[in-house]
């Protein structure tokens, strides 16, 4: 089992967040509160950037909503796999808080080995585990930030995309998914020249839709 | 409580609400979607594409400190890490740990 391995990448990313939050003037309690309540890395980065330039609350809301809108298709493509009549609804509404790239990718590659009735419980376990690592790492990042130099921060920052890229390569098991991933990686950056804010949603929705149709009608 | 810290609390609350909203609406929609349906497969493709687009954007057009390493250094580290991942039979520890060390060293000495 390689269950210890996602912890390193996840931990490195949130250590970077903890250091960043301290840098922009959050105290320790506020930094913990932030990861505890948000637990989605790109959203926290956007929040920090917006806060630094003194953006209004409405602007922060819109910027974060936009960058985290990917959580909607991620939830829709995960929860139906976990739904079971015998399980209470509150579990789904509570545990959707754990939907973030790491936990989602782990669940997507493991759900088939879990009996459907117990999948939501398994998911809550994965979610609590990854979420706890994120919170503890935020604390570590906040506390050690004075000892991290710029080069170490750059090194920490690459760990997250490397981890996600490897997990994506690991998920490439059908024509539809392979195409989705390859087209998304090409169209996302291309749309950056059209609109930096909307590039991920535009590029992602177009790439996913193309891949879907190619896969369905081949 | 000072004005600054109540402001930070508000920023955190607004951020977490904006984030939870998409997750919540996702669960509401999921109640009506069968895991074998076409719409599920479509959303599945979109979810993977958006993630791939996000990763590519972070590497090619980074927002934070990553900007300070050259584009070609970032690309080389990503490619080497994926090769290590494949060679090591999909172990995540080697590529993630090595990527941090590799980029720090390359950025320092090149």
């Amino acid at each position: 089992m390689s269950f210890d391995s996602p912890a390193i990448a996840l931990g490195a990313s949130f250590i970077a967040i903890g250091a960043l939050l301290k840098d922009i003037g959050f105290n320790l309690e506020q930094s913990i509160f932030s990861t505890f309540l948000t637990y989605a890395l790109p959203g926290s980065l956007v929040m920090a950037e917006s806060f630094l330039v003194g953006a209004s609350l409405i602007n922060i809301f819109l910027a974060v909503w936009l960058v985290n809108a990917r959580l909607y298709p991620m939830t829709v493509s995960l929860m139906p796999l976990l739904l079971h009549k015998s399980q209470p609804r509150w579990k789904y509404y509570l545990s959707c808080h754990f939907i973030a790239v790491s936990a989602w990718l782990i669940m997507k590659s493991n759900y088939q080995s879990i009996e459907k009735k117990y999948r939501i419980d398994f998911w809550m376990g994965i979610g609590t585990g990854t979420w706890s690592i994120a919170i503890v790492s935020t604390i570590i990042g906040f506390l050690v930030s004075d000892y991290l130099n710029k080069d170490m921060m750059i090194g920490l920052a690459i760990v997250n995309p490397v981890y996600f890229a490897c997990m994506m390569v690991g998920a490439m098991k059908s024509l539809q998914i392979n195409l989705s991933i390859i087209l998304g990686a090409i169209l996302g950056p291309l749309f950056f020249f059209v609109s930096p804010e909307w590039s991920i949603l535009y590029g992602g929705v177009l790439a996913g839709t193309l891949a879907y149709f190619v896969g369905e009608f081949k | 409580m000072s004005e600054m810290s109540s402001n930070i609390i508000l920023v955190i609350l607004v951020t977490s609400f904006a984030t939870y909203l998409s997750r919540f609406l996702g669960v509401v929609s999921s109640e009506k979607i069968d895991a074998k349906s076409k719409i599920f497969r479509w959303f599945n493709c979109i979810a993977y594409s958006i993630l791939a687009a996000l990763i590519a954007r972070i590497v090619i057009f980074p927002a934070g400190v990553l900007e300070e390493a050259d584009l070609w250094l970032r690309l080389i580290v990503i490619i080497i890490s994926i090769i290590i991942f494949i060679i090591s039979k999909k172990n995540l520890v080697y590529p993630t740990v090595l990527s941090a060390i590799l980029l720090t060293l390359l950025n320092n000495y090149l």
Side-chain angles (χ1 to χ4, degrees):
Chain A
M1 291 298 278
S2 56
F3 253 49
D4 63 324
S5 50
I8 292 173
L10 189 62
S13 329
F14 279 91
I15 285 175
I17 283 284
L20 176 69
L21 292 181
K22 183 179 184 191
D23 205 41
I24 65 169
F26 281 38
N27 65 29
L28 181 60
E29 291 82 357
Q30 289 158 345
S31 305
I32 296 171
F33 193 51
S34 171
T35 298
F36 186 91
L37 280 184
T38 306
Y39 182 49
L41 204 69
S44 301
L45 283 174
V46 168
M47 174 191 75
E49 282 168 32
S50 313
F51 180 76
L52 263 187
V53 298
S56 69
L57 285 177
I58 294 287
N59 275 336
I60 294 178
F61 176 84
L62 288 175
V64 173
W65 177 75
L66 201 61
V67 76
N68 280 343
R70 72 176 188 291
L71 296 169
Y72 178 77
M74 286 169 68
T75 308
V76 173
S77 57
L78 182 70
M79 281 302 174
L81 301 169
L82 316 181
L83 279 173
H84 196 273
K85 285 190 290 292
S86 68
Q87 293 279 8
R89 282 289 163 273
W90 64 263
K91 284 190 183 177
Y92 298 89
Y93 287 97
L94 184 72
S95 70
C96 70
H97 178 60
F98 301 136
I99 294 182
V101 183
S102 311
W104 187 86
L105 285 169
I106 295 170
M107 193 66 203
K108 285 293 252 185
S109 54
N110 287 295
Y111 76 90
Q112 278 164 323
S113 59
I114 317 293
E115 208 181 309
K116 196 165 184 195
K117 188 179 173 189
Y118 301 113
R119 281 180 190 168
I120 186 68
D121 298 319
F122 185 79
W123 164 249
M124 289 173 90
I126 289 176
T128 317
T130 49
W131 186 51
S132 310
I133 291 165
I135 294 168
V136 171
S137 306
T138 303
I139 298 172
I140 295 172
F142 187 95
L143 297 177
V144 304
S145 72
D146 290 340
Y147 306 99
L148 294 174
N149 65 29
K150 191 122 234 170
D151 291 313
M152 290 155 89
M153 290 299 287
I154 294 172
L156 277 178
I158 196 77
V159 173
N160 201 44
V162 161
Y163 166 57
F164 289 166
C166 289
M167 289 289 274
M168 295 301 261
V169 170
M172 292 173 80
K173 283 170 185 163
S174 75
L175 175 69
Q176 237 171 7
I177 301 301
N178 296 359
L179 271 180
S180 300
I181 292 172
I182 292 166
L183 289 175
I186 295 169
L187 291 181
L190 278 184
F191 271 94
F192 193 85
F193 295 106
V194 181
S195 161
E197 295 87 10
W198 289 87
S199 61
I200 293 167
L201 286 183
Y202 283 167
V205 171
L206 180 63
T209 306
L210 282 173
Y212 168 78
F213 280 112
V214 172
E216 289 299 295
F217 297 112
K218 200 193 150 279
Chain B
M1 196 159 42
S2 73
E3 198 187 323
M4 175 72 170
S5 77
S6 64
N7 204 0
I8 290 180
I9 304 270
L10 269 179
V11 166
I12 294 171
L13 288 175
V14 162
T15 301
S16 48
F17 177 67
T19 305
Y20 185 75
L21 190 63
S22 297
R23 292 171 171 143
F24 175 82
L25 292 175
V27 179
V28 173
S29 311
S30 297
E31 305 257 11
K32 300 173 201 81
I33 294 176
D34 186 84
K36 291 183 188 77
S37 64
K38 287 186 172 173
I39 188 150
F40 176 81
R41 282 206 296 277
W42 181 48
F43 270 103
N44 198 34
C45 291
I46 289 178
Y48 277 104
S49 291
I50 289 184
L51 289 189
L54 176 69
I55 297 161
R57 210 225 50 203
I58 294 174
V59 175
I60 298 173
F61 303 106
V65 282
L66 214 47
E67 241 175 346
E68 297 184 26
D70 284 340
L71 173 64
W72 65 275
L73 280 184
R74 303 192 297 258
L75 289 175
I76 286 176
V77 171
I78 290 278
I79 292 165
I80 292 177
S81 304
I82 289 175
I83 293 171
I84 294 171
F85 175 71
I86 293 167
I87 294 174
S88 66
K89 295 189 178 127
K90 303 195 173 167
N91 180 301
L92 285 163
V93 178
Y94 303 126
T96 47
V97 172
L98 287 174
S99 68
I101 299 169
L102 198 59
L103 187 62
T104 305
L105 289 179
L106 289 176
N107 198 46
N108 245 327
Y109 297 107
L110 284 183

